[in-house]
Amino acid sequence: MAEGLRERKKRQTRQYISDVATGLFLERGFDAVTIAEIADAADVSVNTVYNYFPAKEDLFLDQSRGVVLRLARWVRGREKGESAAAAVLRELREELEAVSPRLGLMPGYARFMRVIHDAPALRSRLWAIGQEVLENLEQALREETGAPDGDPLPGLIAGQINWVHQTVMAVIGREMMAGRNPGEVSREVLALLDDMEDLMSEKVLNYAVRAAQ
């Protein structure tokens, strides 16, 4: 369905407020900036800021919705004859080979990660986002395989697949904060991804294979 004028204006306003806030956080640090200062800089009211962002952390991690659904989306979109783990490994390889900013492989990511590193509230929110990624992945596996609620296997498999994703993101974040070149980091993480795949069992690698028909 096409986006209406009202929805587009709301989306643009939300993005503008987030951009203004992010600029202030990068310049001064997360804890040093208040919601009132963000509202003033964006020329909106404090209530408007809270209407779009219920918590201050949401202003900086405003793209988290896409992240929490990432692994579940990759699993649901896996190809015929492809397992859940294989789909995630394939998607990660494609992102790494493309030196994708979606994985943090871009100039300026070190500043972004440093703001998170210096703010306990953002580190806590990042942990919560990681839990949502895992929960959404487990739910996708359960639905895709028809596993009953009491079956522990989807959760165990989700944990193994999520470990790969978490490790990739953690290594990229660490290396980018160290001032590394995105292309060099992507090549190293591709090799690491091969090592992690070798460590995964056949049961994990062959779980939830999509039927050919």
Side-chain angles (χ1 to χ4, degrees):
M1 185 178 294
E3 182 181 40
L5 177 62
R6 178 182 175 85
E7 288 73 23
R8 183 168 69 254
K9 285 185 175 181
K10 288 177 66 175
R11 175 176 56 79
Q12 291 171 340
T13 299
R14 186 183 193 280
Q15 188 61 58
Y16 176 68
I17 294 171
S18 174
D19 290 346
V20 169
T22 297
L24 292 172
F25 294 146
L26 290 172
E27 178 184 350
R28 295 165 48 194
F30 182 78
D31 293 331
V33 179
T34 67
I35 295 294
E37 289 171 327
I38 293 168
D40 184 62
D43 196 25
V44 298
S45 69
V46 169
N47 284 341
T48 297
V49 175
Y50 278 120
N51 284 340
Y52 286 99
F53 301 95
K56 185 180 173 184
E57 294 83 358
D58 298 328
L59 284 155
F60 194 66
L61 299 172
D62 63 310
Q63 302 299 317
S64 63
R65 187 62 183 166
V67 175
V68 300
L69 297 173
R70 177 189 284 167
L71 298 189
R73 184 176 68 251
W74 287 349
V75 166
R76 294 185 195 279
R78 68 196 184 284
E79 300 171 355
K80 293 178 180 179
E82 189 174 47
S83 71
V88 172
L89 289 164
R90 174 178 54 78
E91 294 279 4
L92 283 173
R93 283 195 177 93
E94 290 175 358
E95 295 278 1
L96 288 165
E97 288 167 356
V99 194
S100 173
R102 286 187 291 267
L103 296 184
L105 293 164
M106 61 181 178
Y109 191 62
R111 292 180 66 199
F112 179 84
M113 290 302 299
R114 202 160 286 117
V115 172
I116 294 175
H117 183 269
D118 293 340
L122 287 176
R123 294 202 304 273
S124 177
R125 174 58 65 86
L126 205 60
W127 179 87
I129 289 171
Q131 292 302 112
E132 287 188 67
V133 172
L134 180 60
E135 291 166 5
N136 285 325
L137 175 58
E138 179 181 350
Q139 184 61 31
L141 290 173
R142 199 170 292 281
E143 292 174 1
E144 290 293 303
T145 61
D149 290 341
D151 186 352
L153 194 54
L156 296 173
I157 299 293
Q160 293 290 303
I161 296 174
N162 189 55
W163 161 70
V164 173
H165 179 255
Q166 278 192 324
T167 301
V168 164
M169 298 305 296
V171 171
I172 289 174
R174 183 189 69 214
E175 295 303 312
M176 294 304 294
M177 282 186 69
R180 299 285 308 283
N181 176 274
E184 292 178 355
V185 174
S186 70
R187 288 191 292 273
E188 292 178 6
V189 178
L190 275 167
L192 177 64
L193 196 60
D194 290 339
D195 291 339
M196 286 190 285
E197 183 173 3
D198 289 341
L199 292 172
M200 300 173 79
S201 72
E202 289 300 312
K203 189 168 188 176
V204 174
L205 291 172
N206 293 309
Y207 185 78
V209 174
R210 170 152 285 164
Q213 298 296 330

